[in-house]
Amino acid sequence: MRLSAPTTLVFIISLALAVFAVLPLLGVVVPHVGISSFMILVIAYVVLAAGVLLRKL
């Protein structure tokens, strides 16, 4: 299995999701999204992992 670096777009999307998930822990009030911060972090990690595992993503 060959791994590749994620594209800049995939990395920025993953980073934005991770920051959005951590904001409530820092005391920043975010509108109710209907999904927990943990699930947003999991989605961010899956996006980043997909960017590493899939060559053209």
Side-chain angles (χ1 to χ4, degrees):
M1 174 188 295
R2 291 187 178 215
L3 302 177
S4 62
T7 62
T8 304
L9 179 63
V10 170
F11 179 74
I12 290 174
I13 291 171
S14 176
L15 182 66
L17 285 170
V19 167
F20 184 74
V22 174
L23 284 178
L25 298 174
L26 299 175
V28 177
V29 178
V30 293
H32 183 68
V33 178
I35 189 170
S36 69
S37 293
F38 176 73
M39 287 307 297
I40 295 173
L41 278 175
V42 168
I43 292 168
Y45 182 77
V46 168
V47 167
L48 188 61
V52 171
L53 294 173
L54 304 175
R55 187 171 295 269
K56 297 290 183 179
L57 188 64

